[in-house]
Amino acid sequence: MKFLIMLLLSGLLGITLASARAKMEPENSVEVEARIFMDMFEAGYKDFNVGMSEEYWKFYTRGDPGRTDTYEKIQSEILSDPRTFARLKAWRGNITDPVLARRVDLLYRTFAMAQVTSQEKIYTLQNSLQKVQINFRSTYQGKITTQNELTNILRYGKDRQSRKEAWLARNQVGKEMAPDLTRLIRLRNEEARRLGYSSFYSMSLEMGEIDEAWLFQSLDELDRLSQGPYGKWQERVKKQIGVSKLEPWDAQYDYDNIQEKIKAYFPKQQILPRLKRTYRGMGLDIDQMPILVDDEERPGKSQHAFSFSIDVPTDIRILANADDGIASYRTLFHEMGHAVYSASIRQPSFLLQEASSPCFTEGIGQFFPMFLEEQPWLTGAAGVPADLAKDFRKRTKEDAAYGIRFHLVMMHFEREAYRNPEQDLTQLWWSMNEKYLGMPPHPEVDSWASIIHFTSHPVYYQNYLLADMIASQLMHHLKQDQGPVLDNAKTGEFFRTQIFSKGSSVPWMKLLTDTTSEPLSVKYFVEDKLGAPPLAESGGSGGKGATSFR
C-alpha cells in the first residue's frame, strides 16, 4: 500500500498545489507551494526509505536481496518524475525561508543524481554486482577463506610467497566484477553527459557541493608534501624485508612485528566494552542510544562494515565483522561515530535528518579512532606497555605516507575512469599505482574491481581523505578550546549541540567553519600524519557544503 501511495504522490501533489495556488497571493505563492509539497513528499518518502533500508539491512547481513530490486524500481519511478524535478528546479534559489530553501535544495540534488542512479539499467546492474561481492568467498591454497583471514596473512605472514597468494586470493572477486563494473561506469557516464555534465565524476562532486578544482589542488599539495616521507617509508620497508622492489603484498606487512606485538592487547571480545567506556567518558552513552551492533562473521553476510540509519534518530544499526587486532577496533570506533551522529540528530523533517554531508559523517567516523593512537588510551584503556605504545605510535606515523598516497591512487583513478571509461581500466589502475606508490604493475589482476566503493558508492572515496582532514581540524580545535578531549564530557556536549543535532540543516563547509573558526585545509592533517607543519605552504580552503545520503 505504501508503494501505491508513493507512486500516486506526485499526481496528488499536483492537484493540491493547483488548488492552493488559486487561493494564494502572488508574492507568496512559490514559498507556500514549496512548503506544501515538501511536507507531503518528505512524510511519504521517509516511510518508503525506512522500508527500503530494512531490506538492505537484510541483504547485507544475510546475503538475500529480498525486495531490494522492487524498492529500487519504485524509487526510480519516484525520483525520475520530470514534473517534480522541474518544480524543484523552479523553486531552487527563489525561496527566502532558509530552512525551506535548504530542504528544497537537498531534494533537488537527490533528484538530480537520481536522473543517473535511478535508471533501471543502472541500478539493476549495480545490484547484481553487489550480490556477487556480498556472496563471494575467496579461495586460498585450496580452501574457502574470509577477508579477515586473508588480511591477517598479508599483515603477519612471514613467508612472502604466502602473502602474494593471499593478495591474489583477496582480489579474485575482481575478475568476476571487472567486465560488468566497466559497463556500469560507462552507463553512469553516458547518463551524466546526457544531462550536460562532462562526466559522472564531476556531476557527483558538484551535486555533493565539493569544488573539484579545490579538491585536486589539495591532492596536488598532499602529493608534494608526502613524496619525501613516502620515499623514506619505501626504503625502510625494503631494507627490513630484504627486497629491491616493493610489491602490493608488502604494503600491509608487519615487518618489525609491532602490529603482532600489540595485537594481544586488542582482543575482539573487548571491542564493544572498551568502545562504550571511551565514548561514555566523553559524555556519549551508547547504551542509552538506539544503536544495534551485528559484528559476528557468518556465511552470506557482507565482509565489510557499514552504519545503517534505518530510521533517524530512533533506529541505527552497525554491520561489522569483528576480529582480534587494532584494525577491528578502528573499524568499530569509526562506524560508531556514524551511528552516534545519526542517533543525535534533532531535526523536524526527513531530508534534514542526515549528516551534514558524506565527508562530514566520515570525518566524525575518523575522529574517534584517533584516540586509539594516543598514548593515554593505549596505556590506559588497552593496557599496552608504555614502550610498546611509543613504538606503535612511531610506526603509525611512519606508515601514514603510504595511506595518503593510496588515497591519491584511488581518487585519480576514479576521476580518470569516468573521464574516459572506454580505456583499459585495469591498465589505468596499475599506471596510477606506479605513479603514486611506485608499485610494479600486475595487469593480469583486476584488483580495482574488487574495491566495493566503485560499485556501491561511486565517487565516494574522496570523502575519506576529506574526513581525515576534518577529524584533524576538529581535534585541533577541541584541544585549543577545552584542553583534554578524551575523558571530558565537554567533548560530547560539543558534538551534540554544535554538530550532531543540526543534521543536514547547515552545509558542511559552513558547519566546519562555524565550529572551528576556519574553513577546511590540509594543514592539521599534514601535521598529524606527517609531523611537519607546512603552515606557509598549506592549501587554501575551499569546497562548498555537501549533501548526505542514507
Side-chain angles (χ1 to χ4, degrees):
M1 188 62 184
K2 285 181 184 177
F3 295 163
L4 181 60
I5 291 171
M6 288 303 300
L7 288 172
L8 293 173
L9 186 56
S10 291
L12 291 173
L13 284 168
I15 295 169
T16 303
L17 294 177
S19 174
R21 190 181 299 117
K23 302 174 184 177
M24 293 175 201
E25 295 296 328
E27 61 269 22
N28 69 359
S29 61
V30 169
E31 201 133 327
V32 175
E33 280 185 18
R35 191 178 304 280
I36 292 170
F37 176 89
M38 294 303 297
D39 288 348
M40 292 180 68
F41 187 91
E42 287 185 75
Y45 198 47
K46 174 168 184 172
D47 286 343
F48 177 83
N49 266 271
V50 169
M52 189 174 186
S53 298
E54 285 276 12
E55 289 297 312
Y56 270 100
W57 173 258
K58 294 173 188 175
F59 183 16
Y60 276 75
T61 56
R62 303 176 191 174
D64 178 7
R67 298 181 296 173
T68 54
D69 285 346
T70 303
Y71 270 95
E72 288 286 358
K73 184 176 181 179
I74 294 168
Q75 179 169 259
S76 172
E77 294 173 8
I78 295 168
L79 298 182
S80 60
D81 175 35
R83 291 177 300 171
T84 300
F85 191 37
R87 211 176 264 136
L88 292 166
K89 281 196 281 189
W91 291 335
R92 190 171 179 240
N94 292 307
I95 294 174
T96 57
D97 181 284
V99 176
L100 180 60
R102 179 66 173 162
R103 292 164 64 195
V104 168
D105 188 56
L106 290 172
L107 189 58
Y108 167 81
R109 293 175 187 280
T110 300
F111 266 76
M113 287 304 299
Q115 306 310 298
V116 176
T117 58
S118 288
Q119 293 285 329
E120 186 171 3
K121 61 186 177 183
I122 290 176
Y123 72 71
T124 54
L125 181 55
Q126 177 174 314
N127 279 358
S128 70
L129 284 165
Q130 287 179 223
K131 291 172 192 174
V132 172
Q133 190 120 36
I134 288 171
N135 290 295
F136 188 90
R137 294 296 182 270
S138 299
T139 301
Y140 171 74
Q141 296 184 348
K143 297 179 180 179
I144 300 298
T145 312
T146 68
Q147 291 295 301
N148 275 341
E149 290 168 333
L150 294 172
T151 298
N152 283 331
I153 294 167
L154 286 165
R155 185 170 291 134
Y156 305 117
K158 305 298 182 187
D159 179 61
R160 198 180 190 213
Q161 180 60 31
S162 295
R163 296 203 305 275
K164 178 180 179 179
E165 291 175 21
W167 179 80
L168 290 170
R170 192 167 69 172
N171 288 292
Q172 286 167 355
V173 70
K175 185 176 181 179
E176 303 285 328
M177 300 279 289
D180 278 347
L181 182 50
T182 300
R183 186 159 68 92
L184 179 59
I185 288 171
R186 290 171 181 169
L187 288 172
R188 288 168 176 159
N189 229 41
E190 287 171 9
E191 292 301 318
R193 286 176 173 169
R194 183 179 60 81
L195 294 170
Y197 295 92
S198 61
S199 71
F200 178 71
Y201 192 90
S202 294
M203 177 186 180
S204 298
L205 291 183
E206 184 176 328
M207 289 300 99
E209 296 180 299
I210 296 175
D211 186 291
E212 186 172 354
W214 167 79
L215 176 63
F216 280 84
Q217 178 188 352
S218 299
L219 296 188
D220 289 344
E221 184 138 18
L222 290 172
D223 179 14
R224 177 175 61 84
L225 293 168
S226 64
Q227 282 177 9
Y230 183 66
K232 292 178 182 178
W233 178 86
Q234 286 179 300
E235 294 305 312
R236 182 169 52 253
V237 177
K238 285 191 288 187
K239 181 179 179 181
Q240 287 281 348
I241 65 178
V243 299
S244 59
K245 188 78 172 176
L246 292 180
E247 292 280 4
W249 46 88
D250 298 320
Q252 296 182 44
Y253 178 50
D254 183 27
Y255 57 82
D256 55 6
N257 296 323
I258 289 293
Q259 295 281 353
E260 190 168 13
K261 290 175 184 174
I262 208 165
K263 184 178 181 180
Y265 298 93
F266 289 88
K268 66 180 181 181
Q269 295 85 354
Q270 286 297 313
I271 297 178
L272 283 176
R274 290 178 182 174
L275 180 152
K276 289 179 179 181
R277 284 197 295 271
T278 302
Y279 274 74
R280 192 182 303 119
M282 291 180 281
L284 299 168
D285 191 345
I286 305 300
D287 288 328
Q288 299 302 311
M289 297 182 187
I291 299 173
L292 170 73
V293 179
D294 177 350
D295 63 352
E296 293 296 324
E297 285 187 300
R298 59 179 174 273
K301 180 183 175 183
S302 172
Q303 298 182 82
H304 299 277
F306 301 93
S307 175
F308 283 74
S309 298
I310 305 292
D311 187 2
V312 174
T314 60
D315 185 357
I316 318 297
R317 305 175 197 177
I318 292 174
L319 178 156
N321 293 272
D323 196 14
D324 296 328
I326 195 169
S328 274
Y329 278 65
R330 285 195 186 105
T331 298
L332 261 296
F333 272 64
H334 175 98
E335 298 303 331
M336 190 60 75
H338 293 315
V340 168
Y341 194 160
S342 295
S344 304
I345 290 173
R346 298 294 181 265
Q347 290 297 319
S349 68
F350 173 67
L351 289 170
L352 301 181
Q353 292 170 347
E354 299 273 2
S356 183
S357 74
C359 67
F360 213 102
T361 187
E362 295 297 347
I364 299 303
Q366 289 297 86
F367 178 87
F368 292 98
M370 293 177 78
F371 297 111
L372 304 181
E373 295 167 9
E374 292 196 353
Q375 191 84 4
W377 193 94
L378 287 166
T379 56
V384 179
D387 288 346
L388 179 57
K390 182 179 179 181
D391 291 343
F392 169 73
R393 296 180 71 233
K394 179 174 179 289
R395 167 73 187 277
T396 301
K397 184 86 73 176
E398 292 170 350
D399 289 349
Y402 172 83
I404 290 172
R405 298 192 71 78
F406 183 75
H407 276 98
L408 298 179
V409 170
M410 289 287 291
M411 281 180 272
H412 282 285
F413 166 78
E414 191 168 23
R415 186 194 204 192
E416 293 304 317
Y418 280 107
R419 280 181 164 181
N420 178 18
E422 302 303 320
Q423 65 185 303
D424 184 328
L425 297 185
T426 299
Q427 183 178 341
L428 173 65
W429 172 256
W430 287 111
S431 70
M432 293 298 174
N433 274 265
E434 282 189 280
K435 179 176 181 178
Y436 294 107
L437 295 174
M439 297 285 183
H442 294 275
E444 74 284 2
V445 182
D446 300 308
S447 55
W448 67 274
S450 68
I451 299 171
I452 194 171
H453 300 78
F454 299 140
T455 298
S456 64
H457 292 80
V459 196
Y460 193 84
Y461 216 82
Q462 73 282 346
N463 292 314
Y464 297 123
L465 179 61
L466 294 175
D468 283 331
M469 293 164 59
I470 289 168
S472 291
Q473 190 158 316
L474 286 169
M475 185 68 78
H476 172 83
H477 168 76
L478 285 170
K479 287 180 176 179
Q480 292 291 111
D481 185 61
Q482 67 181 40
V485 181
L486 188 65
D487 292 325
N488 187 342
K490 290 182 179 178
T491 302
E493 182 66 14
F494 166 81
F495 279 115
R496 272 194 307 273
T497 60
Q498 301 301 310
I499 295 174
F500 296 165
S501 63
K502 296 179 180 179
S504 57
S505 64
V506 182
W508 75 270
M509 183 60 79
K510 183 179 188 306
L511 181 62
L512 184 71
T513 304
D514 289 347
T515 53
T516 67
S517 301
E518 56 184 318
L520 184 62
S521 75
V522 303
K523 62 182 179 180
Y524 300 116
F525 172 64
V526 170
E527 287 178 24
D528 284 345
K529 299 298 183 182
L530 302 179
L535 296 179
E537 305 171 320
S538 65
S541 63
K544 305 171 185 176
T547 61
S548 169
F549 74 98
R550 179 173 285 112

